[in-house]
Amino acid sequence: MSSTTVRPAHKPYSPKRAVERMRRGDLGAWPVVGGLIAIAVVFGSLNEHFLSPENLTNLALQMAATGTISLGIIMVLLLGEIDLAAGSVSGLCAVIMTIMNVRQGWNPLLAIVVAVAAGAAIGLVHGLLFTRVRMPSFVVTLAGLIGWQGLLLFLLGERGTINLPFDGFVAKLSDTWLPPWLAWTLAVALVGAYGGSLLLGRRLRIAADLPVGPASWAVVRAGLLAVVLAAAVVVLQADRGVPLLLVIFAALVVILDLVLRHTAFGRWMYAVGGNAEAARRAGINVTRIRVLAFVLSGSLAAFGGILAASRLSAVNQSSGGSDMLLMAIAAAVIGGTSLFGGRGRTYAALLGILVIQAITNGMLLLNLDSSVRYMVTASVLALAVAIDSLARRGSTP
């Protein structure tokens, strides 16, 4: 077996290391955070309703579906590939779920499971065509974008729209709000779990005789998370409360981040994306990792489509269409996921979709034309890719 190093050992996060990364051009999530602050200041000064609890609650609802699809896009982007069929898959699987639930009378939970399984099966087909037939992922998923959209239209038939019961389980997903006690309990539990994971990781590194950062920095990071979560709960509770859709999306972000950072599968994903040949020589089954990435993308696209159907309480011919795919890809890239593979976090979907939805929401409040919104979003996307390219150039020895 080759002694080629697939991925350098993970170093503890510390202020000193963060400064070193910035000097190399790797700015991490800081440009996105700065962009969010700038967006809040600009639109907040131009329209007093932008930062109101009601508008911020609507913003949280709007980003859940596209953000979930963006999580799947990230799985593929980590390998340096692309999934152009995610939008069509989301719409198709939402239609499958709705037909089973409304027309066939299936239990809604069973219909959701089958729809997500259908998305996973579609992802499996894409992955096998990419790995076994050696078709470029761009071509495979471009064909899927067209073909699955055609199947969606076929299943909908001439009527073109299927409404979900307003009092049904699926529709209630987007109209369920956590009571204050539960929202605060979840926030405290999340901060406790995050702080505990930092301390546990530090203890394990010390036991393994690995370098560790200062304990005070772990406390600062947990404190910052507590401040952010407390502010979010206070603002959302000032309106209708914390929406269940936001909790579902956030849970997916956290779970997938833990999988990518703390499991062998996650390390293999980064290794394959960073250098597929080195990963193969190190004994990693590159084909399996690539197929699983497309399966995850299809599954998350399906679930995102179901969340979108819940918001609309219906599916129609435009489900999964319009600019949903482009916004999902843009969210991943703007959030910091590299188009070249090997670098990115699931939090990129959360940060990126926040930027896009905030821009969209702010411009709608200002009654600006959609053409302006598209041009501004394109400029932000181009800037994000430019930063990524410069970061890669700066980190190249």
Side-chain angles (χ1 to χ4, degrees):
M1 181 179 294
S2 171
S3 60
T4 304
T5 300
V6 176
R7 186 173 175 84
H10 177 70
K11 298 179 180 179
Y13 192 90
S14 66
K16 182 178 179 180
R17 183 171 173 241
V19 172
E20 291 176 354
R21 291 174 56 185
M22 290 182 182
R23 288 176 178 174
R24 296 197 306 266
D26 186 2
L27 302 178
W30 290 111
V32 187
V33 174
L36 283 171
I37 294 174
I39 289 170
V41 171
V42 171
F43 287 117
S45 62
L46 294 176
N47 190 301
E48 60 181 11
H49 185 63
F50 180 76
L51 294 177
S52 68
E54 179 184 3
N55 189 59
L56 293 178
T57 301
N58 290 332
L59 190 62
L61 286 171
Q62 292 163 3
M63 71 182 193
T66 307
T68 300
I69 298 173
S70 184
L71 285 174
I73 297 291
I74 289 174
M75 299 298 109
V76 179
L77 287 180
L78 285 176
L79 303 182
E81 304 299 335
I82 192 65
D83 186 355
L84 298 178
S88 296
V89 172
S90 71
L92 172 62
C93 293
V95 168
I96 291 174
M97 179 273 300
T98 305
I99 289 176
M100 290 180 173
N101 179 221
V102 176
R103 292 184 177 176
Q104 305 299 325
W106 285 33
N107 179 280
L109 283 175
L110 180 59
I112 290 174
V113 170
V114 172
V116 173
I122 292 173
L124 178 62
V125 171
H126 291 165
L128 292 176
L129 288 175
F130 169 59
T131 57
R132 301 298 184 184
V133 186
R134 304 291 183 179
M135 294 175 62
S137 60
F138 181 91
V139 177
V140 171
T141 56
L142 178 61
L145 183 154
I146 301 170
W148 305 125
Q149 181 68 22
L151 181 56
L152 177 151
L153 297 176
F154 175 79
L155 292 177
L156 285 176
E158 295 181 356
R159 288 187 289 181
T161 299
I162 305 176
N163 294 317
L164 286 160
F166 286 103
D167 58 347
F169 175 81
V170 177
K172 283 292 184 180
L173 288 175
S174 60
D175 194 29
T176 298
W177 312 87
L178 302 187
W181 67 267
L182 181 56
W184 284 110
T185 300
L186 287 177
V188 171
L190 185 57
V191 173
Y194 179 67
S197 68
L198 291 178
L199 294 177
L200 177 61
R202 191 173 187 277
R203 180 177 299 178
L204 292 175
R205 293 185 70 88
I206 292 175
D209 199 24
L210 293 173
V212 296
S216 58
W217 186 238
V219 175
V220 170
R221 294 172 68 185
L224 288 174
L225 177 63
V227 171
V228 171
L229 290 179
V233 172
V234 169
V235 170
L236 295 176
Q237 289 293 343
D239 184 44
R240 286 157 286 179
V242 178
L244 178 61
L245 280 189
L246 179 61
V247 175
I248 293 174
F249 174 47
L252 288 173
V253 170
V254 172
I255 291 171
L256 289 173
D257 181 71
L258 292 175
V259 169
L260 288 177
R261 292 195 300 118
H262 297 292
T263 67
F265 170 74
R267 291 192 292 271
W268 294 341
M269 286 275 288
Y270 285 112
V272 173
N275 190 323
E277 183 57 31
R280 183 180 289 107
R281 293 181 180 183
I284 298 174
N285 191 327
V286 174
T287 297
R288 180 182 300 173
I289 296 300
R290 285 171 169 168
V291 170
L292 286 175
F294 278 97
V295 170
L296 282 172
S297 180
S299 303
L300 290 166
F303 194 64
I306 292 169
L307 296 183
S310 173
R311 279 277 292 155
L312 187 62
S313 294
V315 292
N316 52 42
Q317 295 174 340
S318 64
S319 294
S322 185
D323 59 356
M324 178 173 282
L325 171 66
L326 299 179
M327 293 300 101
I329 296 175
V333 176
I334 291 172
T337 302
S338 176
L339 286 169
F340 305 99
R343 190 173 76 246
R345 297 277 297 276
T346 57
Y347 293 107
L350 176 60
L351 293 173
I353 200 62
L354 263 175
V355 170
I356 292 176
Q357 292 292 354
I359 292 174
T360 301
N361 182 272
M363 291 187 176
L364 289 175
L365 290 176
L366 296 177
N367 293 319
L368 295 178
D369 190 78
S370 59
S371 60
V372 178
R373 175 170 61 89
Y374 285 131
M375 288 188 285
V376 172
T377 304
S379 300
V380 174
L381 176 60
L383 179 62
V385 175
I387 292 174
D388 179 40
S389 299
L390 292 174
R392 283 177 57 85
R393 185 184 306 172
S395 61
T396 302

